Amino acid sequence: GENVEQHPSTLSVQEGDSAVIKCTYSDSASNYFPWYKQELGKGPQLIIDIRSNVGEKKDQRIAVTLNKTAKHFSLHITETQPEDSAVYFCAASKSGGSNYKLTFGKGTLLTVNP
Amino acid sequence: NAGVTQTPKFRVLKTGQSMTLLCAQDMNHEYMYWYRQDPGMGLRLIHYSVGEGTTAKGEVPDGYNVSRLKKQNFLLGLESAAPSQTSVYFCASSYPDRADEKLFFGSGTQLSVL
């Protein structure tokens, strides 16, 4: 089955700096790569996703890049703010069909210091 | 619009006791999932369902049973609770459309087994 490795496990940055979280996956057939943000005491929420037919996607201060050859994808957050502090999870799946299910990384605790 | 609702939010069990966690969604989603979240382990899939009356095993199904008698409800049962089942449990749902594979999570159930 799919295996997703996520690094680092914790990340501390100063407000205004950039943050980068990296993930690698094992199954070359995976084609859907979402990122979820989990605030304290809440369930995870989708913040951005990318499919294997594109290399980069941006949404305001967040962006995701995908390198299918190397089987890795990254989340980039620019101009970080204290409200960006949360646990971030990457995930991978082979989308479509009746067996759709995500494999998650172990998560990264991001702390943005004011 | 409530989204995904989990009950209860907290529960303490003694070893060997049984309980059922209830998940309800009001978005008419076909797919529903149960995950457990443990420190340093990320989100691991326990069981999932691709439609009313169907269930399937995920990554860590042992010790759990599920039922999907109604499309909007997905129940997770622990027949004989063990301390290893102390965890935070998340239910999620999704609509299996390739254009939108977003998972909607509930707010979680914190379970302690003594």
Side-chain angles (χ1 to χ4, degrees):
Chain A
E2 176 66 277
N3 182 48
V4 177
E5 299 281 342
Q6 183 172 346
H7 298 280
S9 56
T10 61
L11 179 59
S12 182
V13 299
Q14 290 299 122
E15 183 176 357
D17 287 350
S18 295
V20 180
I21 303 170
K22 299 181 178 181
C23 290
T24 61
Y25 60 98
S26 61
D27 189 343
S28 57
S30 289
N31 57 7
Y32 175 63
F33 308 94
W35 286 88
Y36 283 80
K37 175 184 179 182
Q38 184 180 25
E39 296 176 348
L40 191 64
K42 297 183 179 180
Q45 269 195 306
L46 179 72
I47 54 171
I48 195 168
D49 56 12
I50 192 169
R51 298 186 186 277
S52 59
N53 57 346
V54 297
E56 183 174 0
K57 184 176 178 180
K58 285 188 77 171
D59 183 3
Q60 299 183 335
R61 295 187 297 108
I62 60 174
V64 57
T65 59
L66 171 65
N67 183 327
K68 282 218 72 178
T69 302
K71 290 190 282 188
H72 68 70
F73 56 112
S74 300
L75 178 71
H76 305 254
I77 306 174
T78 59
E79 301 172 14
T80 54
Q81 300 167 4
E83 52 265 38
D84 294 328
S85 296
V87 178
Y88 291 82
F89 292 98
C90 63
S93 77
K94 289 175 280 193
S95 70
S98 61
N99 290 322
Y100 166 67
K101 52 188 183 291
L102 287 170
T103 299
F104 284 87
K106 291 187 166 77
T108 296
L109 174 62
L110 173 64
T111 303
V112 180
N113 302 299
Chain B
N1 193 344
V4 179
T5 303
Q6 291 183 233
T7 52
K9 294 190 183 303
F10 302 94
R11 186 71 187 268
V12 178
L13 289 179
K14 294 181 179 179
T15 298
Q17 288 185 319
S18 63
M19 77 162 295
T20 301
L21 280 65
L22 172 63
C23 177
Q25 53 94 4
D26 61 3
M27 296 172 283
N28 202 34
H29 284 167
E30 289 291 335
Y31 287 13
M32 296 187 74
Y33 315 80
W34 276 106
Y35 287 90
R36 61 177 289 172
Q37 183 177 27
D38 302 292
M41 298 297 291
L43 291 157
R44 293 183 292 170
L45 183 65
I46 304 171
H47 286 280
Y48 65 103
S49 168
V50 300
E52 182 178 315
T54 73
T55 63
K57 294 180 179 179
E59 182 185 353
V60 288
D62 294 343
Y64 305 95
N65 57 75
V66 288
S67 65
R68 184 96 181 269
L69 298 179
K70 293 182 179 180
K71 185 177 183 179
Q72 63 269 34
N73 295 338
F74 195 29
L75 279 61
L76 178 71
L78 286 73
E79 289 186 347
S80 179
S84 61
Q85 294 176 305
T86 293
S87 187
V88 180
Y89 292 85
F90 287 98
C91 175
S93 68
S94 69
Y95 185 72
D97 181 339
R98 193 181 183 279
D100 182 5
E101 296 175 68
K102 178 179 175 180
L103 283 182
F104 292 80
F105 282 88
S107 57
T109 295
Q110 189 160 343
L111 175 66
S112 295
V113 183
L114 307 178

